[in-house]
Amino acid sequence: MRRLEARVVAVEPQPALARALWILHGRDRQVVIEQVAIGADTTEAEMYLNLANPTTSSLSRDFINSAQYGREWRDQRWDETIMVPVTTLDALIARHGEPRFCKIDVEGYEATVLQGLSRPLAALSFEFTTIQRHVTLQALAECERLGAYRYNAALGANASLVHPNWLSAEEMGCWTEGLPEAANSGDIYAVRVDA
């Protein structure tokens, strides 16, 4: 996002990864680093750390439990837990202003993050996995609670959208439900209809 000259508010609760962000971007006045997690309420929560693959660390015990049944996730181990402060998207918006785009990548906690938002954003994305399709449906429902959106998706780390036309929440839900387990993960993009 910085390569696009965007101002960035980066949220990272893991101390080691937050330190890395400070080393890489701490002197950039267009980057704000918040060492917190995001959830439905301002509180404190237990975070499950995957020390070998920190990008899969999560606040969701359900995600950790689901991973043991997914082919692509069997080798992942969550070896430690830490307590982390949690804030909401509403609180971050009050501090830093409304974003033009919000990326949510929180390993099974996506719907909970969206519960901490009280107004629709112009555009956002959230990660989905085939081991937790129910979380995807809950996140879509949270988006619909906020306002009228159209949806598209990208599989894996690919940034190319898979659908030639933007879909309704129901159509996106059906698409994710029909994905083979091997699809594993991707991102759903939501654009507000009146944005």
Side-chain angles (χ1 to χ4, degrees):
M1 297 310 282
R2 283 299 293 132
R3 279 186 234 126
L4 297 173
E5 298 184 11
R7 181 175 175 268
V8 174
V9 177
V11 178
E12 178 53 63
Q14 297 178 78
L17 295 185
R19 275 192 301 278
L21 286 173
W22 279 105
I23 291 166
L24 294 170
H25 301 288
R27 293 184 180 174
D28 187 338
R29 292 182 181 192
Q30 294 302 309
V31 176
V32 175
I33 300 164
E34 291 270 0
Q35 191 175 334
V36 296
I38 304 177
D41 300 299
T42 300
T43 185
E44 194 176 60
E46 188 172 42
M47 183 168 208
Y48 303 91
L49 300 181
N50 182 333
L51 299 177
N53 187 5
T55 62
T56 65
S57 297
S58 178
L59 268 63
S60 171
R61 183 73 203 159
D62 186 44
F63 174 78
I64 308 304
N65 291 336
S66 297
Q68 67 184 325
Y69 301 106
R71 252 192 323 261
E72 303 292 326
W73 296 89
R74 283 192 192 129
D75 295 332
Q76 299 300 312
R77 299 287 175 262
W78 290 267
D79 346 72
E80 288 185 20
T81 61
I82 59 170
M83 295 303 290
V84 296
V86 179
T87 191
T88 64
L89 284 174
D90 277 347
L92 287 173
I93 289 169
R95 264 199 309 279
H96 302 291
E98 187 168 318
R100 291 188 181 159
F101 176 73
C102 177
K103 176 177 173 50
I104 302 168
D105 187 345
V106 290
E107 311 309 313
Y109 214 62
E110 292 77 13
T112 306
V113 167
L114 288 165
Q115 289 169 8
L117 183 62
S118 62
R119 60 179 175 236
L121 300 179
L124 61 90
S125 73
F126 59 87
E127 186 182 33
F128 70 89
T129 64
T130 55
I131 60 170
Q132 284 201 305
R133 297 170 203 261
H134 67 282
V135 173
T136 303
L137 298 178
Q138 292 166 356
L140 287 166
E142 288 298 325
C143 288
E144 291 296 294
R145 171 187 62 83
L146 294 167
Y149 283 95
R150 300 298 282 174
Y151 303 89
N152 213 317
L155 288 171
N158 190 334
S160 299
L161 298 177
V162 297
H163 302 289
N165 300 309
W166 290 75
L167 307 178
S168 68
E170 183 178 354
E171 291 167 329
M172 182 55 69
C174 289
W175 177 78
T176 57
E177 287 285 297
L179 284 172
E181 183 186 339
N184 193 37
S185 66
D187 292 288
I188 291 177
Y189 293 85
V191 177
R192 201 171 74 213
V193 171
D194 61 349

